[in-house]
Amino acid sequence: MARPHEPEIIVLHEQPSAFPRRLGLIFLIAFLVLFGFFLVLHNFVPIYTDWLWFREVGYPQVFFTEVISKSLLYFAAAFLFFVIFFTSVVVTINSTPDVFWSQLVQRLGSSQKPVLPRLLRRIAFVVALILCLWAGRSASDEWNDWLLFTHGMPFHQLDPVYHKDIGFYVFQLPFLSYLQGFFMITFLVALAAVIGIGYLERALNARPEGGLPQSALRPAIVLIALLALTQAFGTQLGAYGLLQHDNGIFVGADYVDVHYRLFAIHVEIVLLIITAVTCLMALKTWRLKPAIWSGGAWLAATILLGGVVPQAAQTLQVAPNQFGLERPYIQRNIQFTRSAYGLEHVLQVNNFPAALSLNASVLEKNRATLDNVRLWDYKYLAKVYQQIQAIKPYYRFEALLPNGDRVPNIDIDRYLFQGHLRQVMLAAREMDVDALPESAQTWQNRRLSYTHGYGVVMSPVNQAVDGDPVYLIEGFPPKATGEAAGLTIAHPQIYYGMLDYRPVYVDTQQPEFDYPATGNDDQDHYAFYQGHGGIRIGNSLFRKLLFAYRLNDWNLLLIHSLTPNTRVLWRRDIRERVQLVAPFLQQDTDPYLVIDPDNGHLVWVIDGYTLSDRYPYATPRQLAVNPLTTETLNYIRNSVKATVDAYSGRVNLYLADPSDPIAQAYSRIFPGIFHPLSDLSPAMRAHLRYPEDLFRIQRAIYAVYHVDDPRVFYLREDVWAVPDEPLSTMDQQPREMEPYYVVMHLPDLGAGNRSTKPTQSSRGEEFVLMSPLSPIRREDQNILGWMCARCDPPHYGQLVLYRFPQQVSVLGPTQVLQRINSDPVISPQLSLLRAGGSTAEFGNLLVIPIDHSLLYIAPLYVEATSNVNRLPKLAKVVVAYGDQEVMANSLDQGLALLFPGYSAESRPMPSAPSSNASTGTTPIKPAGNLAPEVRLLIQKASALFNTSQQQLRQGDFAGYGQTMKQLQETLTQLKRTVGVP
């Protein structure tokens, strides 16, 4: 019997109908079937097809390791998040007193009191399940850091503050930071849910005023304690981050960090632990003030000890005595930055004289260097190749960038021809199916017929005839001629390259287009793929169905020309193949093509870097990964050389730097992924280059960190920079001078050097990557030295710096080009070359060390502006030495004008285009006994005479008169010089 003034709660139990229950079961089964089908399509198809691909390229361990580690992290993180979140919510719901549910049912007029808690728990279950899926997905992205955490290797170098091995910062710290962030977010989300339920309970109660109800207060206190401990852990990790602190002068923990901020961090950690303990004690005593006071003390310590006090110390103590206090920390920054970028053993040659000591005899001794000076620039040679050697519009000498842009893809390398080292430029003739005629843009042509590019084109870097390059390899099929006659290409077909290579199907009943008819051959040529690349699909309807879905190519199920051996060539971009096989590597932006001298295969070589941004006390740099992305790093090694066969697609990874701890860690993570570099044939090892991206970073770092004295570093009195690229036109924006490869004899490396390694002398010519260096903020003026990286065994990778004496002023590239443009002999010739609908632009000006002197060499290209297909001509070569500069038809002719006795007898070189032939310097046979000033006056008189004749033909009588006056003055000066009355 109900008491007075107390409503009676009646729970009705109705017999549910069987039909709705059966209908709900049907809908549930249908939903599960559809969801399962979605999971199969969304997960199974990609996973299975990826496994087939990794098995095809020979790296199944990469696939399984990645999938297993991602799965473990996914389920572990999802489970932890689910348990923490769901437990917190359920404990809050279960702690709610029954009277609350009774009052709620009474207010709502409902009869479902027993259902409400269970319904809320189910809602909490669904929310926890959804959120844990997100948590798992986020954790799976950390698979690489997790594997490094569990397989890290020591660097055998300790940091100077905490005395931990560098491996802790590179391998352990990134994943520990993720864990701290994961638990912080998990506890915060759970706390928000608990507080939300608590205030919902308070809002639905008859008396909504007051604080958090006890049902939510207990789990909230526990979560706050866990948050405090997690924050304490994060604060300790933040203390390690001081070793990457940038104070504007150097990177690393400085005086204030070590003496003030580190103390503040320790105090903060203690206060956070006290906060956690007092929170847990409050569960029994319900005294929250100690926890509030300790939390407030932590906040105050963070603001005062961690912010105000260090700033005051910086202003009042450090700033007036900065160098004296920061000196040991600057020394650490210098030492660790050099170590991080591999700059500890740079061989420094001081007092390289840059003397004016060249003569014909010295030039003859360095003939191999002069015969390999690069006169062809990449962009101009690419235009010539595209117009002359492409033959068909669907062939391209280009590479596709991630942003969709296309750039010329011309590589530079060296080959040993007839016992002589020859620097060459070569390019792959790749297939661009988008350039097929519109009528030929059929599925069959794009997927079955036009499947590959064909052959390469090769030219020496310094030769031309009538302004066009000389070809060592050209044509269809590619044929080697001249000094390269012994070079053979076994498989000229290029199935894997750097253009937009989409999947194709090979070994079908339909022959593939091989190369077009040329010369007397009026028949196009066809072939069938004979390689071992690709995934076999022709004998499996199941695989055809999977790849039709994966590639979104349903014609694969309808085609009738497949054979049991038909294969799909998939992921044919060489950069994508290497990225998938070795996702931990950062690739150099310039892969290059090599003709394997052993078997004639076309092989792409890609330099792979191992990176880190956690190296203590090391200054970070930006690495341009592509036009859209940059990578921040403060440790880099060129640990891996990757090769990709252009015919079979076979990927090999060779360990080039076994001492790199990061590469060692990945060798443990993926057993067998790396081959020792000795497995690469000696003939192929002879074609390895020092990578340009690494050299750019190292020269920029060494420009600042070459000093040993912290005072010099602090004063910035000896900071270098990279010279500006000389500008052909005034409307161009200044940019850094690109490093360039040269074949040269390095001057004596045993004189006046500083290195911790034994010095080695250079014997004979070698392939090096070099760049001049200039003073900071004077990039368009003088240069103070040059830096190079040696590329040939056994000195591969050795960096050498040559410094000029401080009292010597050496002209920079921009200054030399300015002198060339204002030269009274050269300037009129440039004006005439740029007249009549033509442009004349200088290519890259190269600074070439010869013996103990410097030569400045720049090619001049002429293009007709009226022609749609502008074909550049290598028209002239300018040579500068000391205070003299000459422009001639060839490098040898220019050298002959500058140096008496130098022989200009050499292989064919450029001559001026026929349209401007009269403006050129007439080829001469040098007379060995003429003085240099006599030669220059003769050249000037010859140029003035040619200019006057051109003006006369154009009817420019005023200009003709002025030029004849200059000619008369030149002849008078010549007479005085030679003593003729």
Side-chain angles (χ1 to χ4, degrees):
M1 182 140 185
R3 297 178 182 178
H5 311 292
E6 211 175 273
E8 184 176 3
I9 300 175
I10 303 174
V11 179
L12 300 178
H13 299 281
E14 298 182 359
Q15 185 67 28
S17 172
F19 177 73
R21 182 177 299 176
R22 189 179 300 113
L23 183 62
L25 182 62
I26 293 174
F27 276 113
L28 178 62
I29 294 174
F31 171 77
L32 292 176
V33 170
L34 291 175
F35 185 70
F37 184 69
F38 168 78
L39 290 179
V40 168
L41 291 180
H42 189 263
N43 294 310
F44 172 74
V45 173
I47 290 175
Y48 181 71
T49 51
D50 280 343
W51 175 73
L52 292 175
W53 185 85
F54 275 97
R55 190 178 66 170
E56 178 249 324
V57 295
Y59 292 91
Q61 73 272 36
V62 176
F63 172 80
F64 286 117
T65 301
E66 183 174 343
V67 169
I68 292 173
S69 59
K70 282 184 175 181
S71 301
L72 289 176
L73 285 175
Y74 185 96
F75 288 111
F79 175 76
L80 286 174
F81 186 95
F82 181 87
V83 168
I84 295 171
F85 181 86
F86 186 66
T87 301
S88 302
V89 173
V90 168
V91 167
T92 304
I93 295 174
N94 291 341
S95 301
T96 303
D98 290 339
V99 65
F100 168 75
W101 304 114
S102 301
Q103 292 174 351
L104 180 60
V105 169
Q106 180 181 7
R107 293 180 60 188
L108 297 177
S110 172
S111 59
Q112 300 296 320
K113 172 195 169 185
V115 176
L116 289 176
R118 185 170 59 199
L119 178 61
L120 290 177
R121 283 191 292 269
R122 289 178 179 178
I123 294 174
F125 179 86
V126 173
V127 172
L129 189 63
I130 294 173
L131 292 178
C132 81
L133 295 179
W134 163 81
R137 177 62 183 272
S138 174
S140 66
D141 293 336
E142 306 298 323
W143 68 274
N144 185 62
D145 286 346
W146 158 250
L147 290 175
L148 289 177
F149 178 81
T150 55
H151 296 81
M153 299 292 291
F155 276 67
H156 302 293
Q157 184 180 9
L158 303 180
D159 80 85
V161 176
Y162 303 105
H163 306 293
K164 289 183 174 292
D165 188 88
I166 304 300
F168 168 79
Y169 301 94
V170 174
F171 299 121
Q172 274 75 49
L173 190 57
F175 190 73
L176 290 176
S177 298
Y178 163 75
L179 283 180
Q180 190 270 340
F182 169 81
F183 283 108
M184 200 73 178
I185 293 175
T186 301
F187 294 141
L188 282 173
V189 172
L191 179 62
V194 168
I195 293 175
I197 294 174
Y199 277 103
L200 177 64
E201 174 187 343
R202 182 66 66 185
L204 295 176
N205 197 291
R207 293 186 300 274
E209 69 279 357
L212 201 65
Q214 287 193 2
S215 58
L217 187 58
R218 184 178 295 273
I221 291 175
V222 173
L223 289 172
I224 291 173
L226 292 174
L227 278 170
L229 293 175
T230 305
Q231 180 61 33
F233 181 65
T235 303
Q236 179 58 51
L237 296 182
Y240 299 131
L242 292 177
L243 302 187
Q244 278 100 37
H245 173 222
D246 187 350
N247 61 18
I249 299 175
F250 63 93
V251 172
D254 56 19
Y255 182 87
V256 170
D257 292 332
V258 173
H259 292 84
Y260 291 94
R261 289 195 177 94
L262 200 55
F263 172 76
I265 286 173
H266 292 156
V267 172
E268 291 171 27
I269 292 173
V270 171
L271 291 175
L272 284 168
I273 295 175
I274 293 175
T275 301
V277 172
T278 54
C279 284
L280 296 177
M281 292 175 60
L283 294 175
K284 289 187 176 181
T285 63
W286 292 106
R287 296 175 58 190
L288 296 178
K289 285 187 177 181
I292 296 173
W293 279 108
S294 57
W298 165 75
L299 184 60
T302 301
I303 296 173
L304 295 176
L305 296 181
V308 176
V309 173
Q311 186 60 45
Q314 179 68 36
T315 303
L316 301 177
Q317 181 182 4
V318 175
N321 312 281
Q322 191 168 43
F323 175 72
L325 296 177
E326 302 287 19
R327 182 185 183 109
Y329 308 104
I330 294 176
Q331 186 65 59
R332 294 173 182 177
N333 178 230
I334 295 173
Q335 174 191 347
F336 279 80
T337 298
R338 284 185 186 171
S339 175
Y341 292 95
L343 297 170
E344 314 103 301
H345 306 301
V346 176
L347 184 61
Q348 185 164 313
V349 179
N350 295 315
N351 298 318
F352 180 81
L356 300 177
S357 59
L358 286 185
N359 54 46
S361 175
V362 174
L363 292 179
E364 290 294 343
K365 291 179 181 178
N366 291 271
R367 184 70 192 209
T369 299
L370 298 174
D371 285 346
N372 285 286
V373 173
R374 180 173 61 82
L375 300 179
W376 281 103
D377 281 6
Y378 300 98
K379 68 174 184 177
Y380 294 107
L381 188 62
K383 291 181 180 180
V384 177
Y385 278 7
Q386 190 59 48
Q387 295 188 46
I388 304 300
Q389 289 293 328
I391 310 297
K392 296 292 184 180
Y394 44 77
Y395 285 127
R396 292 282 189 272
F397 298 96
E398 297 174 334
L400 183 69
L401 299 180
N403 63 353
D405 291 343
R406 295 188 176 197
V407 294
N409 189 21
I410 307 291
D411 298 318
I412 191 165
D413 200 356
R414 73 286 197 195
Y415 287 79
L416 196 63
F417 293 145
Q418 301 174 3
H420 299 285
L421 195 63
R422 175 67 62 204
Q423 189 172 201
V424 300
M425 305 180 81
L426 70 161
R429 187 186 288 110
E430 301 194 50
M431 172 65 67
D432 180 13
V433 293
D434 291 333
L436 290 171
E438 186 175 354
S439 59
Q441 293 283 349
T442 65
W443 181 89
Q444 202 165 23
N445 280 340
R446 296 171 67 92
R447 291 289 187 267
L448 305 180
S449 297
Y450 291 92
T451 57
H452 58 271
Y454 193 86
V456 299
V457 179
M458 178 187 288
S459 303
V461 295
N462 69 326
Q463 296 183 31
V465 174
D466 294 330
D468 296 325
V470 173
Y471 297 106
L472 297 175
I473 299 178
E474 62 174 330
F476 295 92
K479 182 180 179 182
T481 59
E483 55 186 331
L487 199 59
T488 60
I489 299 178
H491 293 290
Q493 295 84 3
I494 300 175
Y495 285 88
Y496 299 86
M498 297 180 65
L499 268 182
D500 187 12
Y501 278 89
R502 295 156 196 175
V504 295
Y505 309 106
V506 297
D507 208 354
T508 65
Q509 296 176 11
Q510 179 171 324
E512 304 167 39
F513 176 79
D514 205 24
Y515 61 90
T518 56
N520 297 327
D521 186 2
D522 58 354
Q523 294 291 329
D524 290 340
H525 292 258
Y526 296 85
F528 290 94
Y529 182 66
Q530 302 296 324
H532 300 290
I535 303 169
R536 183 167 296 180
I537 60 173
N539 60 348
S540 172
L541 178 61
F542 178 64
R543 289 189 179 182
K544 284 191 286 187
L545 180 63
L546 293 181
F547 277 98
Y549 174 80
R550 181 69 188 270
L551 304 177
N552 194 27
D553 190 359
W554 299 102
N555 287 326
L556 184 59
L557 301 177
L558 307 175
I559 185 174
H560 299 295
S561 58
L562 300 186
T563 70
N565 294 321
T566 295
R567 281 164 288 172
V568 55
L569 304 186
W570 179 33
R571 293 169 172 166
R572 298 195 295 147
D573 188 304
I574 59 170
R575 296 158 296 187
E576 181 186 15
R577 293 178 78 81
V578 173
Q579 187 64 38
L580 290 171
V581 166
F584 48 86
L585 289 180
Q586 180 59 60
Q587 299 178 33
D588 189 84
T589 54
D590 185 25
Y592 55 98
L593 189 66
V594 175
I595 303 173
D596 190 337
D598 291 329
N599 53 29
H601 284 208
L602 300 179
V603 179
W604 297 97
V605 180
I606 304 177
D607 287 285
Y609 304 121
T610 50
L611 312 176
S612 176
D613 60 353
R614 298 294 185 121
Y615 204 92
Y617 274 102
T619 298
R621 289 288 298 181
Q622 295 289 326
L623 173 64
V625 177
N626 55 58
L628 300 175
T629 308
T630 58
E631 189 82 23
T632 300
L633 59 96
N634 67 358
Y635 173 90
I636 183 170
R637 290 293 186 273
N638 177 211
S639 299
V640 178
K641 303 286 186 180
T643 63
V644 183
D645 192 294
Y647 187 74
S648 68
R650 174 64 183 171
V651 178
N652 286 310
L653 303 176
Y654 297 95
L655 188 58
D657 187 359
S659 64
D660 174 34
I662 299 180
Q664 294 173 5
Y666 283 116
S667 295
R668 295 181 61 197
I669 294 170
F670 306 106
I673 190 173
F674 297 131
H675 302 281
L677 192 61
S678 58
D679 285 359
L680 188 64
S681 69
M684 279 296 295
R685 287 205 302 273
H687 287 276
L688 298 180
R689 306 185 322 195
Y690 199 83
E692 294 180 63
D693 287 347
L694 175 60
F695 185 74
R696 288 189 187 95
I697 290 177
Q698 287 179 319
R699 73 176 178 180
I701 290 293
Y702 201 67
V704 179
Y705 287 89
H706 62 279
V707 298
D708 295 319
D709 188 348
R711 181 179 295 276
V712 177
F713 179 92
Y714 177 78
L715 295 176
R716 291 295 198 269
E717 62 181 13
D718 193 22
V719 178
W720 307 339
V722 179
D724 287 341
E725 190 76 51
L727 305 179
S728 296
T729 59
M730 298 304 296
D731 58 344
Q732 293 177 308
Q733 293 296 320
R735 57 187 177 88
E736 277 190 354
M737 192 173 184
E738 292 293 328
Y740 47 92
Y741 293 97
V742 295
V743 172
M744 64 175 294
H745 173 85
L746 288 179
D748 183 16
L749 300 182
N753 62 77
R754 182 199 73 192
S755 174
T756 57
K757 281 188 174 181
T759 62
Q760 300 161 327
S761 297
S762 172
R763 297 180 178 179
E765 287 68 35
E766 55 184 298
F767 193 59
V768 301
L769 177 64
M770 67 165 291
S771 171
L773 295 170
S774 65
I776 190 70
R777 290 185 294 277
R778 296 178 61 188
E779 291 84 352
D780 60 346
Q781 300 181 36
N782 293 354
I783 57 176
L784 48 75
W786 53 282
M787 187 177 188
C788 71
R790 306 172 77 176
C791 300
D792 292 337
H795 309 309
Y796 175 89
Q798 183 183 47
L799 298 174
V800 185
L801 174 72
Y802 290 86
R803 291 203 66 175
F804 305 143
Q806 293 188 1
Q807 66 273 17
V808 175
S809 178
V810 181
L811 295 179
T814 300
Q815 292 174 315
V816 171
L817 190 61
Q818 290 171 350
R819 287 186 49 173
I820 291 171
N821 284 321
S822 60
D823 185 273
V825 177
I826 297 176
S827 181
Q829 297 183 62
L830 294 176
S831 299
L832 289 173
L833 288 170
R834 290 164 178 162
S838 296
T839 63
E841 293 185 359
F842 286 106
N844 296 134
L845 189 147
L846 304 183
V847 183
I848 306 295
I850 303 289
D851 197 54
H852 294 97
S853 303
L854 298 177
L855 281 177
Y856 302 85
I857 301 171
L860 182 71
Y861 301 93
V862 174
E863 292 183 83
T865 57
S866 59
N867 195 341
V868 176
N869 296 317
R870 300 171 60 179
L871 184 64
K873 297 284 186 177
L874 178 51
K876 299 289 180 182
V877 178
V878 176
V879 185
Y881 174 71
D883 59 353
Q884 305 174 42
E885 52 274 338
V886 297
M887 186 165 72
N889 290 334
S890 72
L891 175 58
D892 278 330
Q893 289 179 13
L895 293 172
L897 289 171
L898 287 173
F899 302 99
Y902 180 78
S903 174
E905 297 177 2
S906 65
R907 53 187 57 83
M909 289 294 291
S911 61
S914 57
S915 60
N916 293 302
S918 62
T919 68
T921 302
T922 305
I924 62 173
K925 184 176 181 179
N929 296 325
L930 290 179
E933 59 269 20
V934 175
R935 289 175 177 274
L936 291 174
L937 288 171
I938 293 174
Q939 183 198 22
K940 181 178 180 180
S942 176
L944 288 171
F945 176 77
N946 290 332
T947 301
S948 67
Q949 296 304 302
Q950 179 73 11
Q951 291 169 332
L952 187 60
R953 283 192 295 270
Q954 295 176 350
D956 183 8
F957 297 107
Y960 172 78
Q962 183 68 26
T963 303
M964 290 302 295
K965 182 178 179 181
Q966 295 178 10
L967 176 59
Q968 183 178 2
E969 294 174 353
T970 302
L971 292 174
T972 301
Q973 185 180 358
L974 178 61
K975 287 180 180 181
R976 287 197 303 266
T977 302
V978 298
V980 176

